Amino acid sequence: GCGICINRCPFDAIMIIGLPEELDKPTHRYGQNGFALYGLPIPQKGRVTGILGPNGIGKSTAVKILSGSLIPNFGEEKGDWDTVLEYYSGTALYDYFRDIVSGKMKISQKPQYVDMIPKAFSGKTRDLLKKADERGVFDYLVEKLDLGNIIDRDISNLSGGELQRVAIAACAGKEADFYFFDEISSYLDIYQRINSARLIQELAEEKAVMVVEHDLAILDMLADVVHVAYGVSGGYGVITYPKGVRISINQYLKGYLPEENVRIRPEAIEFEVHPPKIEKEIHTVLDYPSFSLKYGKGFHLKAEAGNLKEGEVLGIVGPNGIGKSTFVRVLAGEIEPEEGEIDLDIKVSYKPQYIVGDSPMQVRYFLGQITDKFNTSYYQAEIGKPLQLEKLYDRMLTDLSGGELQRVAIAACLSRDADLYLLDEPSAHLDVEQRSMATKTIKRFAENTKKTAMVVDHDIYMIDMLSERMIVFEGTPAVNGTANSPTTMHQGMNRFLSNLNITFRRDEDTSRPRVNKPGSRLDREQKESGEFYYYR
Ligand code: ADP
Ligand code: ADP
Ligand code: MG
C-alpha cells in the first residue's frame, strides 16, 4: 500500500504515495467513495500556468471547478459557493471565485479530444471560426496557425492536425478572462506545436491561460509555472502549489517532489547526453532500394536507399504531410512505387496514426486472436503490464478513450508476428507516464525479438529516448518530400532541427533537452557550430 490508508488500499497503489498532511480534506469528492481531488491550480493573469501529471488524476475536474460548472463540495454531500468563498478567503482563489459567482469571469476551453469536433459542428472551417471570433482576430489566427488553405473546407474533412489547429484558434478567438487548453500537441508536428505554443504565450500577455500538456519539450517552453498533479489514477489526485517550469519538470522526471516530500514514481525517467553509438557489427536485416512515388498530379515522394538493423529502433521525423505515412506504406507493400522495385518479402506490422475502435469486441478477445502468447506471463510482463492494459481487458474496444485505444493499438501492433514493426505516432493521447512506459516497451520488444521497429513521432523526448538511428524527412508539405537514408542520431537531429531553425540545450540537472530562446547566446553559438541538439 501507499501508506495513507489505514486498512487495505482500495486502489492497489504499489508506489509510495503520501498525502501532504495539510490536505486532510479533499477539495472535491465525487460521491461517497468516488474520486477525490486535493488542491486546485491557480489561474493568473499574464501567465501560462501548466498542469503536469498522468491522466485520470483530476485535471479536468479541477478545470470544471475553475470554470464554475462544478461547485467543490470539500468531501461533503453537496457544495455551495458561500462555503467555497469562505474556504478560500484571504487566498488568491478568493477573488477568482468571487468573479465566477458574480458571473464576471468568462471562460474559453479547448477540449482534449479534437476528433469529436466534427460530431458537434457541421459546416466549413470559416463558419466555425467566424462564430468563435469574439475578439475580432480571425485573420490573425488564420495566418498564425496556417489555416488559409483549409478555411473553405468542411470540418468533417479535416485531418487530426487540422482539427487541432482549428480548435486552438476557436478557443483563442473567444473573449474570455480565463483560457484553458487541454493538450495542444496531439497530431501536430513539432513546427506546429511550437507555433501554437507561441500563440498561446501571446494570449497570456493579457489573459490567464492554463494548459495541460504531455509533450515536455513544449510544456517547458510554453509554461511559466507548473502545478504537478499526482496520485492514483481513478482514486485520488493532488495538485501541488505552483513551481517554476524547469524545477517542476525536473522533479517530475526524477519522480520525487521535495517540497511535498512525496515520491511519485519508484525510478527516474532518464536521458542520455550523448547520442547512441551505432555499432558497426550490428547485423543488417534488410536493405531497401531507393524509390519514388507520385499521387496522380499531387504529392511526390522520393526515398533514398537505406538499411534496417537487427533489434534497433529507428526514429522517423519530419513535418506533417511530408510523406512519412506514404513511405511506411510502401515498405509495408501496401502501395507500389513508380520507380524502384520494392520486393522485400517481409512481413510488416503497422500501427496507423489514426486508430478507431469500431468493432464491438472485448480487448482480451481482440488481442487474444492476434497472438497465442496472450495468456503467457512473458506477454503480460512485457506488454500487458507496462502498457497498463490489465484494467482494459474486459472493456469493449468501442468504449475506450483515445489514450486507452492507443495503448491497445500499440499492443496489437507488437503482438503480430512480423519482421518489421511500424508505429505511426504512438504518443498521441498518452500522458507523460504512458509515453515513457510505451517507449520502454517498444525498445525492449525490439531488443528481445531482434526485430526492427520504426517509430514516427513528433515528441522529441520520446524520439530521443527511443531511437538508435533516425530517418529525417525534408521537403514542402503536401507538395514533395524526401526520405533521407537512416543516419546516426547526431546527424539526424542536427539536420532535422536546422531545418526547423531550433536549437536545444541539455538541462544541467537531468540532461533533458530544452528549447533555446531564439537569438539567445546559446542559440547563436549552437547555430554557428552546427550543433543543434547534442551540445553541453
Ligand atoms: P484527468 O483530467 O486528470 O484525466 P478527470 O478529472 O477527468 O481526470 O477525472 C478524474 C477521476 O474522476 C476519474 O477517475 C473519473 O472517472 C472521475 N470522474 C470524473 N467525472 C466524474 C463524475 N461526474 N462522477 C464521478 N466520477 C467522475
Ligand atoms: P505524413 O505522414 O508525413 O503526414 P502522408 O504520407 O500521409 O504524410 O501524406 C503526404 C501527402 O500526400 C499529403 O499531402 C497527403 O494529403 C497526400 N496523400 C496521402 N495519401 C494520398 C492518397 N492516397 N492520394 C492522394 N494524396 C495522398
Ligand atoms: Mg482530462
Side-chain angles (χ1 to χ4, degrees):
C2 61
I4 50 161
C5 313
I6 300 151
N7 298 316
R8 246 194 99 232
C9 178
F11 309 119
D12 283 330
I14 40 158
M15 289 182 296
I16 313 301
I17 293 175
L19 286 173
E21 267 169 38
E22 69 270 21
L23 292 176
D24 53 349
K25 192 156 78 163
T27 309
H28 187 78
R29 188 189 286 282
Y30 290 113
Q32 224 182 8
N33 292 310
F35 176 86
L37 173 71
Y38 295 83
L40 274 182
I42 309 160
Q44 271 182 294
K45 202 173 150 177
R47 260 189 183 177
V48 178
T49 303
I51 309 179
L52 170 58
N55 285 329
I57 215 92
K59 301 181 300 295
S60 299
T61 301
V63 169
K64 266 186 236 157
I65 293 172
L66 292 176
S67 68
S69 62
L70 177 68
I71 307 177
N73 62 16
F74 303 107
E76 305 296 324
E77 216 165 286
K78 208 172 170 298
D80 65 87
W81 286 119
D82 286 341
T83 312
V84 174
L85 287 175
E86 199 183 312
Y87 183 87
Y88 287 109
S89 72
T91 76
L93 280 170
Y94 177 84
D95 291 342
Y96 183 89
F97 279 120
R98 196 195 47 206
D99 287 349
I100 286 276
V101 174
S102 68
K104 268 205 288 186
M105 181 71 65
K106 253 204 89 189
I107 285 124
S108 177
Q109 292 190 50
K110 188 203 78 70
Q112 181 177 18
Y113 296 116
V114 294
D115 319 52
M116 303 298 176
I117 296 170
K119 292 187 184 112
F121 186 92
S122 59
K124 298 200 187 306
T125 304
R126 181 189 300 281
D127 308 331
L128 190 153
L129 290 183
K130 280 281 181 198
K131 205 173 142 212
D133 184 33
E134 295 166 355
R135 290 170 59 222
V137 287
F138 176 87
D139 293 331
Y140 166 80
L141 291 172
V142 167
E143 196 216 302
K144 279 274 170 179
L145 291 168
D146 205 7
L147 299 171
N149 50 10
I150 59 161
I151 201 73
D152 288 313
R153 272 215 245 142
D154 269 336
I155 290 288
S156 58
N157 291 332
L158 300 186
S159 71
E162 289 163 346
L163 281 175
Q164 185 70 272
R165 282 176 290 138
V166 169
I168 292 170
C171 178
K174 295 236 176 80
E175 182 64 64
D177 307 284
F178 171 41
Y179 293 79
F180 175 66
F181 296 88
D182 198 348
E183 272 198 69
I184 58 166
S185 68
S186 306
Y187 305 129
L188 298 190
D189 63 37
I190 183 162
Y191 178 78
Q192 296 164 332
R193 287 175 191 201
I194 288 175
N195 248 351
S196 307
R198 295 209 171 117
L199 180 105
I200 290 172
Q201 280 174 322
E202 273 178 37
L203 183 67
E205 282 168 17
E206 290 164 32
K207 310 282 190 178
V209 175
M210 199 170 276
V211 293
V212 171
E213 182 51 57
H214 300 293
D215 180 329
L216 293 183
I218 297 301
L219 181 71
D220 189 39
M221 68 162 285
L222 173 59
D224 298 298
V225 295
V226 169
H227 295 263
V228 176
Y230 68 90
V232 175
S233 180
Y236 69 90
V238 181
I239 310 247
T240 67
Y241 291 116
K243 304 164 190 261
V245 62
R246 169 172 175 261
I247 298 289
S248 63
I249 295 178
N250 285 358
Q251 291 182 357
Y252 191 83
L253 291 172
K254 286 181 179 173
Y256 179 68
L257 311 176
E259 289 89 356
E260 288 76 14
N261 190 21
V262 167
R263 176 154 288 287
I264 55 172
R265 200 182 314 105
E267 73 285 324
I269 297 174
E270 282 168 343
F271 294 85
E272 300 286 338
V273 180
H274 302 291
K277 290 191 186 68
I278 184 80
E279 312 246 333
K280 289 238 164 48
E281 58 268 29
I282 295 180
H283 180 62
T284 297
V285 248
L286 171 83
D287 287 291
Y288 60 85
S290 62
F291 61 86
S292 74
L293 174 144
K294 211 166 174 171
Y295 286 122
K297 286 203 172 90
F299 180 78
H300 188 177
L301 172 71
K302 266 178 149 161
E304 290 180 359
N307 59 25
L308 309 179
K309 294 190 184 280
E310 193 175 273
E312 80 169 339
V313 181
L314 266 170
I316 301 189
V317 296
N320 279 335
I322 203 80
K324 299 183 300 298
S325 299
T326 303
F327 172 80
V328 156
R329 291 177 63 204
V330 172
L331 288 189
E334 268 182 53
I335 352 178
E336 291 255 312
E338 228 163 62
E339 245 173 76
E341 187 99 0
I342 298 290
D343 184 15
L344 297 175
D345 194 27
I346 52 165
K347 260 206 279 182
V348 176
S349 177
Y350 178 43
K351 186 203 81 66
Q353 179 176 19
Y354 299 107
I355 43 184
V356 275
D358 50 6
S359 44
M361 191 190 282
Q362 262 186 349
V363 173
R364 179 189 305 285
Y365 181 80
F366 173 65
L367 293 174
Q369 76 177 10
I370 295 174
T371 172
D372 50 17
K373 299 194 186 72
F374 179 73
N375 284 314
T376 64
S377 55
Y378 181 79
Y379 185 91
Q380 293 309 324
E382 292 292 322
I383 310 269
K385 201 166 179 68
L387 291 175
Q388 301 167 1
L389 298 179
E390 286 126 324
K391 281 189 184 147
L392 305 180
Y393 285 151
D394 294 326
R395 306 258 305 274
M396 301 295 271
L397 283 178
T398 37
D399 296 340
L400 300 182
S401 73
E404 291 166 343
L405 200 56
Q406 185 69 268
R407 285 178 283 135
V408 172
I410 295 170
C413 177
L414 301 182
S415 298
R416 288 186 201 103
D417 190 24
D419 307 293
L420 172 62
Y421 292 82
L422 298 171
L423 297 111
D424 203 344
E425 221 188 328
S427 75
H429 300 318
L430 297 189
D431 66 35
V432 201
E433 293 296 316
Q434 293 164 343
R435 282 174 200 213
S436 143
M437 292 307 278
T439 298
K440 274 192 195 151
T441 307
I442 297 166
K443 218 176 156 77
R444 281 178 62 100
F445 175 86
E447 274 166 16
N448 291 342
T449 60
K450 297 195 161 56
K451 302 286 177 64
T452 313
M454 285 186 168
V455 177
V456 178
D457 213 283
H458 301 293
D459 182 329
I460 288 286
Y461 282 33
M462 191 169 189
I463 289 289
D464 182 83
M465 288 191 280
L466 194 56
S467 330
E468 257 93 24
R469 292 194 299 160
M470 287 174 81
I471 299 179
V472 180
F473 278 70
E474 293 170 324
T476 309
V479 180
N480 60 62
T482 303
N484 292 305
S485 297
T487 61
T488 63
M489 289 298 287
H490 186 199
Q491 288 172 309
M493 277 296 191
N494 274 341
R495 186 159 193 166
F496 175 50
L497 294 176
S498 68
N499 292 340
L500 293 167
N501 205 24
I502 300 167
T503 59
F504 279 82
R505 67 187 177 283
R506 292 276 168 180
D507 182 66
E508 281 161 23
D509 193 10
T510 58
S511 298
R512 69 183 170 90
R514 306 190 71 198
V515 178
N516 286 323
K517 258 208 172 65
S520 65
R521 186 182 54 81
L522 267 183
D523 184 57
R524 283 181 285 131
E525 248 176 57
Q526 288 182 234
K527 279 173 182 165
E528 261 162 46
S529 64
E531 293 293 340
F532 283 70
Y533 193 69
Y534 291 103
Y535 180 87
R536 196 80 218 224

